[in-house]
Amino acid sequence: MSVSRPAGVWLIGARGSVATTVVAGCAAMSAGLHPPTGMLTETALFADCGLPGLPSLVFGGHDTLDCPLPKRAEELAAGGVLPPGLPAAVAAELTAADDEIAPGGPLPDDDRDEQALIEAFAADIRDFTARRAPAGTVVVNVASTEPAPDGDTLPPSSLYAAAALRAGCPYVNFTPSTGLHHPSLAAASADSGLPYAGRDGKTGQTLLRSVLGPMFAQRALAVRAWSGTNLLGGGDGAALADPAAAAAKNAGKERVLTDTLGTPVQGEVHIDDVPALGDWKTAWDHIAFDGFLGTRMILQTIWQGCDSSLAAPLVLDLARLTHRAREAGLSGPLSDLGFYFKDPVGDAPSALGDQYTALTRLAARLRAGEAR
């Protein structure tokens, strides 16, 4: 495992389940307590690519919550998300990251305008980078999903994205929230000279769809309908109980099917908040398709998993790859990282196999030190 200058990872939603799992998991792997399961950047594909080593990553972030990371980690361990005893084993690293979490916003009683908020957030990131991250900082949004914006007002995700640009940091949107996709940020992102990636991490149901969709198309099988249901709890379940937030989430799921099948299909995805499930989720798909001579058939899939554990290795991969991309001189949308997202930026394919091929090309470019 390589060791390099400290590289910053600034997490939006830094006290949430995903962020806590990211920090605890990085510390556990750096100490040799657990293997890097689920991390492509720790496989032969990215050997000798010059990525920052896991022990070199330092964490900070913004959040509106005040639950300390060590306590949040204990809660996740009690729920089976983190291994028993891990929060105590990495308590020092959790405390160090918690000390670098700044108040987020905007809160209901915050009377600052958009530019004042952006500058305040950017100042927090610049200060962290100057003190802790001489190799620079990547900003990663892992906060709960927000509804699509109505009008010209910048939603919180876009305020943080603008702050990342102002602080001179690459930006990764692991959520379906607007972030840099807001029209008023198009010029700033284009002029920044910074790489950025997103959006909406592909961890479960859509991962399967990006594999199965091409299978039906390549075998010339006619998909008549594709419906799905998600049962989940935790912060995401509560956030996605809002129909507007759920609509933002489902847009990426539906886009994958349209792109890989070549045409829209009947069926919807429903998201149900089940608080008792905590950080665990169940995703069920029902696929109706026609075979030879119109024979009607059905495929059903069930995906049960822990969203935080599925997301954390991807977040670490993306932070390391985006750090290296900037160092190599890449700028603009990192479409070759579409493998990780439901709704990738730039001109990226939707089928997982094609996305993996693009990722291998990126690895070769990084290994060669090419910027273009």
Side-chain angles (χ1 to χ4, degrees), residues 41-135:
T41 53
E42 286 294 298
T43 67
L45 175 61
F46 287 102
D48 303 320
C49 283
L51 305 183
L54 288 172
S56 74
L57 299 183
V58 292
F59 297 93
H62 282 114
D63 209 322
T64 57
L65 303 177
D66 57 9
C67 179
L69 283 181
K71 181 178 179 181
R72 183 69 186 121
E74 291 286 357
E75 294 172 350
L76 292 177
V81 178
L82 296 179
L86 182 61
V90 298
E93 290 87 348
L94 289 166
T95 299
D98 193 70
D99 289 343
E100 298 293 347
I101 297 176
L107 296 171
D109 59 349
D110 196 333
D111 58 2
R112 290 175 291 179
D113 63 19
E114 289 179 351
Q115 291 305 312
L117 286 164
I118 291 169
E119 181 53 38
F121 297 155
D124 293 333
I125 300 168
R126 285 193 294 260
D127 174 67
F128 169 78
T129 303
R131 291 184 296 101
R132 300 292 312 279

Side-chain angles (χ1 to χ4, degrees), residues 215-228:
M215 178 196 74
F216 284 106
Q218 290 162 4
R219 289 295 300 269
L221 297 170
V223 176
R224 292 183 290 109
W226 198 315
S227 302

Side-chain angles (χ1 to χ4, degrees), residues 3-366:
V3 178
S4 46
R5 292 190 304 158
V9 182
W10 188 264
L11 299 167
I12 308 303
R15 290 194 172 108
S17 297
V18 172
T20 306
T21 306
V22 165
V23 175
C26 185
M29 290 183 291
S30 297
L33 300 177
H34 288 271
T37 305
M39 289 193 63
L40 277 179
T41 53
E42 286 294 298
T43 67
L45 175 61
F46 287 102
D48 303 320
C49 283
L51 305 183
L54 288 172
S56 74
L57 299 183
V58 292
F59 297 93
H62 282 114
D63 209 322
T64 57
L65 303 177
D66 57 9
C67 179
L69 283 181
K71 181 178 179 181
R72 183 69 186 121
E74 291 286 357
E75 294 172 350
L76 292 177
V81 178
L82 296 179
L86 182 61
V90 298
E93 290 87 348
L94 289 166
T95 299
D98 193 70
D99 289 343
E100 298 293 347
I101 297 176
L107 296 171
D109 59 349
D110 196 333
D111 58 2
R112 290 175 291 179
D113 63 19
E114 289 179 351
Q115 291 305 312
L117 286 164
I118 291 169
E119 181 53 38
F121 297 155
D124 293 333
I125 300 168
R126 285 193 294 260
D127 174 67
F128 169 78
T129 303
R131 291 184 296 101
R132 300 292 312 279
T137 296
V138 168
V139 177
V140 186
N141 182 12
V142 291
S144 295
T145 301
E146 67 188 16
D150 182 15
D152 296 330
T153 300
L154 291 178
S157 67
S158 295
L159 296 174
Y160 291 123
L165 299 182
R166 189 170 296 185
C169 297
Y171 174 79
V172 177
N173 189 0
F174 200 74
T175 80
S177 300
T178 303
L180 285 181
H181 278 67
H182 197 281
S184 67
L185 298 183
S189 58
D191 295 342
S192 69
L194 295 165
Y196 57 90
R199 67 182 165 172
D200 199 3
K202 185 164 54 188
T203 58
Q205 184 178 45
T206 310
L207 180 66
L208 282 178
R209 288 179 167 212
S210 67
V211 174
L212 294 175
M215 178 196 74
F216 284 106
Q218 290 162 4
R219 289 295 300 269
L221 297 170
V223 176
R224 292 183 290 109
W226 198 315
S227 302
T229 294
N230 280 261
L231 308 176
L232 70 162
D236 261 359
L240 294 171
D242 179 346
K249 183 78 171 177
N250 286 337
K253 294 176 180 288
E254 294 166 0
R255 188 175 299 109
V256 167
L257 291 182
T258 300
D259 289 349
T260 57
L261 296 174
T263 182
V265 296
Q266 294 182 22
E268 298 179 347
V269 176
H270 297 275
I271 299 177
D272 295 331
D273 177 26
V274 185
L277 294 180
D279 285 275
W280 299 82
K281 70 177 182 181
T282 297
W284 170 71
D285 270 16
H286 183 281
I287 307 158
F289 66 99
D290 290 345
F292 189 55
L293 303 179
T295 305
R296 295 199 160 188
M297 293 176 272
I298 297 292
L299 171 66
Q300 296 186 45
T301 66
I302 299 176
W303 178 287
Q304 294 178 303
C306 174
D307 217 26
S308 299
S309 296
L310 291 165
L314 309 188
V315 172
L316 288 167
D317 274 355
L318 287 163
R320 301 174 79 192
L321 290 167
T322 309
H323 263 293
R324 178 66 181 115
R326 182 186 185 183
E327 184 181 59
L330 276 70
S331 63
L334 298 176
S335 58
D336 286 345
L337 293 180
F339 181 82
Y340 291 97
F341 298 106
K342 297 182 181 74
D343 185 18
V345 297
D347 184 17
S350 295
L352 192 69
D354 294 337
Q355 291 174 338
Y356 185 79
T357 298
L359 190 64
T360 62
R361 290 197 298 266
L362 175 64
R365 293 166 63 194
L366 295 180

